[in-house]
Structure formats: C-alpha cells, structure tokens
Amino acid sequence: MDKYNKIIQELIQFRNDRDWEQFHDSKNLALAISLEASELNELFLWKKDDEVENINKDRLKEEIADILSFTFLLAEKHNLDVFDILSEKIKKNALKYPIDKAKGTAKKYNEL
C-alpha cells in the first residue's frame, strides 16, 4: 500500500472508531478546512517579516496536518485522488501563467 492510501485508511479508521462520519458531510469538511486554515494564518498574525520564517515548527506542522486531514477526507468522500487533482491544477495554471509572462511577478493571470 502506498503512503497516500495508507494515510487515507488511517484517517478513516480514526474517524470511524469515534463514530464521526456522521458529522463529515461535504459542508462540514469544507468549513473545517477553512477554520483550520484560519488557525494556520493565526500563527503569522502580527508577526514582523523577520519573525515569519521562524515561527514554531511544531504548531505549523499541527495546522498543516489538520488542513490536510480534512482535505483528504473531503476528497475521499467524493472519490477524488488528491494527486490527480493537483496534477490537473498545475497543468491548468501552467496555461494561465506561462513562464515568459509570469516569471518573477505576483500578478494574477488576468493582469499579465
């Protein structure tokens, strides 16, 4: 079993052992992702530029793990492979942000 399928099975086992599947509809999983992303943002709130890159790595890992956990569960609920959808998105973004126009700029694709 590859790492991705192993972690999905661990997440499902963890959820099912606690009878939480009843709470994991698409809406609630999406809201949980948003809330966990807010907690990630909170790590950077009010930090100066020199402090941003030196935040607590353990807390950073915790928040990223929470976001990924709910994201993986939402993807699994809809039979989506996160690696496939990420690959598709990278290809779409490559068309929206061609290297010759996007390199070195943070402008949005409609501003290039």
Side-chain angles (χ1 to χ4, degrees):
M1 179 181 297
D2 62 28
K3 284 183 180 183
Y4 174 69
N5 287 318
K6 182 178 181 297
I7 203 69
I8 295 297
Q9 292 309 311
E10 287 178 23
L11 283 167
I12 290 170
Q13 184 69 50
F14 180 87
R15 177 198 68 196
N16 290 351
D17 286 349
R18 288 152 184 82
D19 193 25
W20 287 350
E21 186 175 11
Q22 62 183 314
F23 309 117
H24 287 185
D25 58 54
S26 297
K27 174 193 65 98
N28 283 318
L29 289 169
L31 288 170
I33 294 165
S34 178
L35 292 169
E36 295 301 339
S38 294
E39 291 180 17
L40 175 65
N41 284 331
E42 188 177 27
L43 296 178
F44 299 98
L45 184 64
W46 314 122
K47 300 283 191 279
K48 295 182 177 162
D49 290 343
D50 59 332
E51 297 174 303
V52 168
E53 299 306 326
N54 295 312
I55 64 166
N56 183 310
K57 297 291 188 220
D58 289 330
R59 292 209 42 221
L60 179 62
K61 290 180 348 184
E62 290 277 329
E63 299 310 335
I64 290 173
D66 288 342
I67 293 165
L68 288 172
S69 295
F70 290 123
T71 300
F72 285 2
L73 286 169
L74 182 59
E76 188 274 334
K77 181 173 193 60
H78 292 276
N79 298 310
L80 300 172
D81 182 304
V82 294
F83 295 108
D84 289 344
I85 60 178
L86 279 170
S87 181
E88 290 171 20
K89 183 63 174 177
I90 291 167
K91 289 173 188 168
K92 285 181 183 178
N93 282 345
L95 295 173
K96 286 169 52 172
Y97 296 96
I99 294 169
D100 62 322
K101 292 182 181 178
K103 190 170 186 171
T105 182
K107 290 182 180 177
K108 194 167 175 165
Y109 67 92
N110 59 358
E111 298 173 337
L112 296 174

